[in-house]
Amino acid sequence: MKVLVLVLGLALVLTVCVARSPYQAVLQHSRIRGRMQGQNVCAMQQIKGADKKYFTNCKQWYHRKICGKPTVITYECCPGYERIPGEKGCPAALPLVNIYNTLGVVGATTTQMYSERAKLKEEIEGPGSFTFFAPSNEAWAALPTEILDALVSNVNIELLNALHYHMVNNRLTSEELKHGSTFASMYQDFHVHIHHYPNGIVTVNCARLIKTDQHATNGIVHVVDRVITAISNNVNTLIDVDDDLETLRTAMAAAGLTAMLENEGQYTVFAPTNEAFEKIPQETLTRILGDPIALRDLLNYHILKTIQCAESIVTGTPMETLQGTTLEVGCDGDQMTLNGKAVITKKDQLGTNGVVHYISELLIPDSAKVLLELAEGSSVATATKLFVEAGLSPQLTGSEALTLLAPLDEAFKGSVSMTPSMRLLMTNHILKEQLSSKALYHGQELETLGGLKLRVFVYRNNLCIENACIAAHDKTGRYATLFTVDKVLTPPMGTVMDVLKADDRFSVLVGAIQTAGMTELLNQQGELTFFAPTNAAFSAMSQPERNKLMRNRQELSALLRYHLGEGMLVSGGVSSHTRQKPLQGERLELGVRNYTVYVNRVPVVDADLMATNGVVHAVNSIIKPLPPKVEREQADGPATPLRTAASSRADSKGFRNDDLFQKVVRSRSSRTMNKSQ
């Protein structure tokens, strides 16, 4: 069985590698998947509850979903083959007949009927080499009644013209249907527009080819899922003639984008309707429309660099906009989605240089937003409310170059009310210049609106400003930037010694520091990390032990220096197997478990008490060096000792020897009993 799977897997890789186009790749993948059902059988995925079927790639095969909907696997004859009753698979090639008869063979009987009615039968039965993009029966049935009646009632002109537009006077296999190519149709040389997508889907005028490469004696038939119409207008004209897009048309002209959408290209425009613009607060809309840079960014955010027909989308895919950022274009059943929302109200309005999809919501990129709008679109609702209550709305809505440090909602513990100290704290969450986190460096100082200097710390696993580490990608607005941080800032208010003196939990430690003659060390400039024992840590010592320690200045100094690490290490900079060199001793082993920092397996009970010359982390136990064996393990909190492989083997061997000993005893006892008998 393993050999069979290996062979099939190798065959799949080899076949896909030699495939000549995306469509051929998915077709050959389907052949491999259907091989167990017999020769020339293709596996297809059909959306449950719908008639839509797809040849699929490996990823879609394993996910068993298309447009978010579950699929079932069906097995059909691959293009060009048919079944023979009583035989496995599809061993017989379809009979090679003219195009008219081929329409019947592939099930496009409505197109066959209309071809006869429009006097096209003789042409597609006769000599030539044609390509016929034949609408399926369902495609004709989906046409609005008034359009179908108008075509059929005037069969000598309109119906014939419509059918001729589905034809090219040349045989074009799926290999010749290159992405972005156009071919003159047999209706007044109006072009048909081909798009051949990486996922194997091929469209003509945004109609999906659902049965491809059906060969005939005088050409080839591709069955498509809709009736296509001639295209003569460019994208700008499509927007220009629709009253529902009047606001968009005015905005495009103001931004100078009209000429671009008139020229050659391959654009996808997600066109906001007038109603979509009306949903935006008037103040915001007026600001953007009056700002050429923000307006251009806004409109370019609605334009993709490539044509994306609705039928080409089978899963959410990030696509680059002209603005430079990405939109996730996806689908949910029959609905096309943007950034996960079903806002597209009209699809596939095709022009000569692109396609237009109407949308019911305006998409505003970060680059067109002010700080308040950036914050409202993030998980920082509590911080946003506090910024407003602190009277900082002018900074959040103005054009000043700033950077906002916005703590996540969970960073605030319990209810928070506005006080003078809270107002000052929120002011110190705003930096005086617009920054990018990518440009920050270790040791950099950043000035706040409150006049404080904040330090930048760069760690292997994090980028922190004081105790607060950046928790999400930057949001860069029109004038300012938003940094989402994981904690509320605690700006340094004094030296390490000042921090300890101000906290009653460290009264014993302060006395010990003074006894050891280390007060000056903790007041001078520098960068220290102090794992500071609380009063509880000293109380845990026996009275004789404590008295002895306090009387021995040298021993006390050595113990305290072992609790002092070189350099600034805030809790956000600690990861598994972090090590820090103490002022005295070999090393401190740090780790994190369940959001708690441990140092030599002692938990930090209160982290990140920031000082101008260091940081204090409170611990409720005296930290001692780890035994050599434990040092080799992660020092991230108490854990049961890990059993080594050697000890496991020894235990296993011990069990087996004991078992053998018992068997020997039983055997000897049995022989002794037999002799006595």
Side-chain angles (χ1 to χ4, degrees):
M1 183 63 186
K2 288 183 179 178
V3 174
L4 178 61
V5 171
L6 181 62
V7 170
L8 284 176
L10 183 59
L12 179 58
V13 170
L14 291 175
T15 353
V16 171
C17 285
V18 300
R20 293 163 294 177
S21 70
Y23 168 75
Q24 289 295 329
V26 295
L27 174 63
Q28 290 175 7
H29 175 264
S30 295
R31 279 182 175 274
I32 296 295
R33 296 297 180 186
R35 184 171 293 176
M36 299 298 290
Q37 306 298 317
Q39 60 179 322
N40 303 318
V41 174
C42 284
M44 303 190 74
Q45 289 196 64
Q46 180 175 353
I47 298 175
K48 284 185 179 180
D51 294 328
K52 297 181 80 169
K53 298 178 183 179
Y54 295 83
F55 297 123
T56 57
N57 57 30
C58 289
K59 184 177 180 180
Q60 292 160 349
W61 176 268
Y62 288 113
H63 284 181
R64 297 293 166 90
K65 281 189 176 182
I66 290 175
C67 287
K69 304 301 179 184
T71 61
V72 294
I73 304 301
T74 63
Y75 296 95
E76 301 182 1
C77 293
C78 296
Y81 295 91
E82 64 179 349
R83 296 187 184 277
I84 296 177
E87 293 193 29
K88 185 178 180 180
C90 304
L94 286 171
L96 200 62
V97 293
N98 59 49
I99 284 180
Y100 177 79
N101 289 325
T102 300
L103 292 174
V105 171
V106 299
T109 54
T110 304
T111 299
Q112 188 181 44
M113 175 188 70
Y114 286 146
S115 297
E116 187 170 3
R117 187 177 297 184
K119 312 299 184 188
L120 183 63
K121 178 182 177 182
E122 183 178 347
E123 183 176 355
I124 58 179
E125 281 183 329
S129 183
F130 309 113
T131 296
F132 202 148
F133 298 103
S136 65
N137 295 347
E138 293 77 12
W140 288 106
L143 275 181
T145 305
E146 61 274 15
I147 294 179
L148 186 59
D149 288 347
L151 285 174
V152 176
S153 63
N154 195 349
V155 295
N156 292 326
I157 301 174
E158 298 299 335
L159 184 58
L160 180 62
N161 289 343
L163 291 172
H164 267 153
Y165 184 63
H166 288 75
M167 295 176 63
V168 173
N169 194 12
N170 193 10
R171 182 193 300 265
L172 299 171
T173 67
S174 60
E175 286 300 303
E176 281 81 46
L177 301 179
K178 305 293 185 183
H179 188 69
S181 59
T182 61
F183 300 96
S185 75
M186 294 177 64
Y187 169 58
Q188 297 182 4
D189 285 340
F190 277 105
H191 282 71
V192 293
H193 298 256
I194 305 298
H195 295 96
H196 194 144
Y197 295 96
N199 59 8
I201 289 175
V202 184
T203 64
V204 53
N205 288 23
C206 285
R208 182 168 69 97
L209 276 61
I210 55 177
K211 290 184 180 179
T212 308
D213 292 335
Q214 308 293 328
H215 290 271
T217 56
N218 56 346
I220 195 168
V221 174
H222 306 292
V223 180
V224 296
D225 67 353
R226 71 180 75 165
V227 178
I228 62 175
T229 55
I231 297 167
S232 56
N233 293 327
N234 58 45
V235 166
N236 187 68
T237 303
L238 293 177
I239 295 172
D240 200 40
V241 299
D242 194 329
D243 290 340
D244 283 341
L245 303 178
E246 182 179 358
T247 307
L248 175 62
R249 180 166 62 250
T250 303
M252 286 285 190
L257 296 177
T258 301
M260 179 187 75
L261 297 181
E262 288 176 337
N263 296 331
E264 289 186 8
Q266 295 275 310
Y267 302 112
T268 297
V269 179
F270 297 105
T273 61
N274 298 338
E275 184 181 353
F277 279 96
E278 291 166 4
K279 292 178 181 178
I280 301 301
Q282 189 58 48
E283 183 181 352
T284 300
L285 187 59
T286 301
R287 175 182 62 79
I288 293 176
L289 293 177
D291 181 346
I293 295 176
L295 179 59
R296 194 174 184 89
D297 274 358
L298 172 79
L299 296 174
N300 280 334
Y301 189 56
H302 289 74
I303 305 174
L304 303 181
K305 297 179 177 181
T306 57
I307 290 181
Q308 292 294 331
C309 297
E311 285 297 324
S312 71
I313 308 297
V314 294
T315 188
T317 306
M319 298 184 181
E320 189 175 0
T321 67
L322 292 185
Q323 181 257 349
T325 55
T326 59
L327 284 173
E328 184 180 274
V329 184
C331 51
D332 183 10
D334 290 333
Q335 292 185 309
M336 196 173 175
T337 61
L338 284 180
N339 292 340
K341 299 173 69 176
V343 296
I344 295 177
T345 56
K346 189 192 289 188
K347 301 181 288 189
D348 293 341
Q349 306 303 299
L350 192 63
T352 55
N353 60 343
V355 64
V356 178
H357 306 292
Y358 289 40
I359 59 175
S360 60
E361 288 186 17
L362 191 65
L363 309 172
I364 304 180
D366 288 347
S367 61
K369 293 179 180 178
V370 294
L371 268 178
L372 185 60
E373 293 162 349
L374 292 175
E376 288 172 344
S378 308
S379 10
V380 292
T382 304
T384 304
K385 175 175 173 288
L386 290 172
F387 283 124
V388 173
E389 290 178 356
L392 296 168
S393 292
Q395 285 75 25
L396 269 61
T397 57
S399 57
E400 192 176 354
L402 300 169
T403 299
L404 186 73
L405 306 179
L408 291 165
D409 291 336
E410 54 264 32
F412 295 92
K413 309 300 181 187
S415 60
V416 184
S417 57
M418 186 50 59
T419 62
S421 60
M422 177 59 74
R423 184 173 290 107
L424 178 60
L425 178 62
M426 299 314 293
T427 304
N428 284 323
H429 278 74
I430 303 179
L431 305 176
K432 282 188 173 180
E433 56 183 316
Q434 185 176 15
L435 300 165
S436 164
S437 63
K438 293 180 180 178
L440 299 182
Y441 56 88
H442 191 78
Q444 185 178 6
E445 287 193 341
L446 312 172
E447 188 175 357
T448 72
L449 288 185
L452 283 184
K453 294 290 182 68
L454 303 180
R455 297 159 296 183
V456 176
F457 305 116
V458 178
Y459 301 107
R460 186 179 298 277
N461 64 319
N462 239 332
L463 174 63
C464 306
I465 299 172
E466 294 297 335
N467 62 303
C469 300
I470 293 176
H473 293 296
D474 300 2
K475 284 183 171 289
T476 305
R478 174 66 179 92
Y479 307 104
T481 300
L482 172 73
F483 289 171
T484 302
V485 294
D486 62 352
K487 296 181 184 71
V488 178
L489 276 172
T490 54
M493 304 307 291
T495 65
V496 168
M497 198 63 190
D498 293 331
V499 170
L500 297 175
K501 285 181 177 180
D503 194 325
D504 291 340
R505 294 176 298 173
F506 301 116
S507 58
V508 177
L509 176 61
V510 169
I513 291 169
Q514 292 168 342
T515 300
M518 295 173 58
T519 303
E520 185 180 349
L521 172 66
L522 299 182
N523 274 325
Q524 68 187 20
Q525 287 186 351
E527 289 191 346
L528 295 172
T529 300
F530 199 172
F531 298 98
T534 62
N535 295 345
F538 286 101
S539 297
M541 300 172 67
S542 66
Q543 191 65 41
E545 184 183 8
R546 179 177 166 184
N547 291 339
K548 178 185 175 184
L549 176 66
M550 292 302 181
R551 285 195 299 265
N552 189 331
R553 179 172 175 172
Q554 186 174 355
E555 184 180 341
L556 180 60
S557 175
L559 181 140
L560 294 178
R561 286 174 179 273
Y562 186 66
H563 287 70
L564 278 164
E566 296 177 355
M568 290 278 296
L569 182 60
V570 299
S571 61
V574 178
S575 59
S576 296
H577 303 291
T578 299
R579 287 182 173 181
Q580 192 171 31
K581 178 78 170 98
L583 295 189
Q584 187 164 332
E586 191 171 348
R587 59 178 168 269
L588 295 169
E589 299 276 353
L590 292 96
V592 181
R593 178 179 292 178
N594 296 329
Y595 306 104
T596 298
V597 174
Y598 288 82
V599 51
N600 286 13
R601 297 201 167 178
V602 172
V604 171
V605 295
D606 193 2
D608 300 330
L609 307 176
M610 305 304 294
T612 55
N613 60 341
V615 59
V616 176
H617 305 298
V619 292
N620 280 342
S621 299
I622 300 296
I623 299 170
K624 298 178 181 179
L626 293 172
K629 179 181 177 182
V630 180
E631 281 186 356
R632 293 193 297 270
E633 300 170 4
Q634 183 175 347
D636 57 354
T640 55
L642 295 175
R643 290 162 60 86
T644 64
S647 65
S648 297
R649 287 194 297 269
D651 288 351
S652 175
K653 183 177 180 182
F655 170 78
R656 289 195 297 269
N657 288 345
D658 288 346
D659 191 38
L660 179 60
F661 175 74
Q662 294 296 332
K663 288 182 179 179
V664 171
V665 169
R666 286 196 297 270
S667 176
R668 287 181 177 176
S669 298
S670 176
R671 287 198 299 271
T672 303
M673 289 177 64
N674 290 336
K675 286 180 180 178
S676 64
Q677 288 174 357

